[in-house]
Amino acid sequence: MNNCQLLDIEFEHNGQNQIITPVLIQDEQENILVDCGYPNFLPYLEKAVQQKGISFESITKLIVTHHDMDHIGSLAEIKRAYPHITIIAYELEKPYIEGAKTSLRIEQAKSTLGELQDEAKNQAEQFIRFLASIEPAPVDQTVINDECLPWCGGIQIVHTPGHMPGHISLYLPSSKTLIAGDAVVLEHGKLNIANPQFTMDMEAAVSSVRRLLDFGIERIICYHGGLFHGNVRQALQDLVREYKS
């Protein structure tokens, strides 16, 4: 996994200490960042990259797994500061990232408002305002399912819907590594489906996990939880079995 650097970023959000794990994929010509955190996270990212001995200026591309706030929050800020960076996203995600369509997360949150009591409703409305404040950003290049990008020994696009319809994961065959995004999370050493409350289609999410079994994955990196230590195939099989039952 020597071409894959984990950028563990610790921060406080809603009064809680949290960690997210963007990833930097490298070869002799490319430094490719995967996902970019919440709004105003550019200083965190610059520091994390610098700690790996790399200048943020040397980043060439930024691949987005999906348009959730903690994955695209700093995208517009990054593009302004480093306009040479090519922004890459799945074709279904492009209109949401660019602001041509309303965020699916906003639509999901609005759909629950009628069921909520006053305090919860106020919190939901505040959440919607926060989502709406995320600045759109241009997508320079779109990708499709099973497309193989030629950089860093090959980067295969794996459409993993469920958490969101346009969610993708990235498979690096040269190191048998999967960058999972939110297709799965790592909680207490165990793989799991990302928070069901924010999973738009649970059946599709489980099917996506089942599809990952088609790949010879030896290492899996979760945006929430980092690097999984253990037998990846067995863990994925256990997860599918758990939700199937």
Side-chain angles (χ1 to χ4, degrees), residues 19 21 24 34 56 67 74 82 100 139 153 173 200 215 219 221 226 239:
I19 301 176
T21 306
L24 192 62
V34 183
F56 207 92
H67 71 274
S74 290
Y82 302 96
V139 174
M200 306 197 81
F215 298 85
R219 287 166 291 273
I221 303 167
L239 183 54

Side-chain angles (χ1 to χ4, degrees), residues 189-222:
K190 182 177 179 294
L191 293 181
N192 204 349
I193 299 292
N195 192 335
Q197 179 184 357
F198 294 106
T199 296
M200 306 197 81
D201 186 333
M202 183 59 75
E203 185 176 345
V206 176
S207 294
S208 291
V209 175
R210 188 180 296 111
R211 188 193 174 203
L212 295 179
L213 291 167
D214 295 337
F215 298 85
I217 302 168
E218 294 183 357
R219 287 166 291 273
I220 188 164
I221 303 167
C222 303

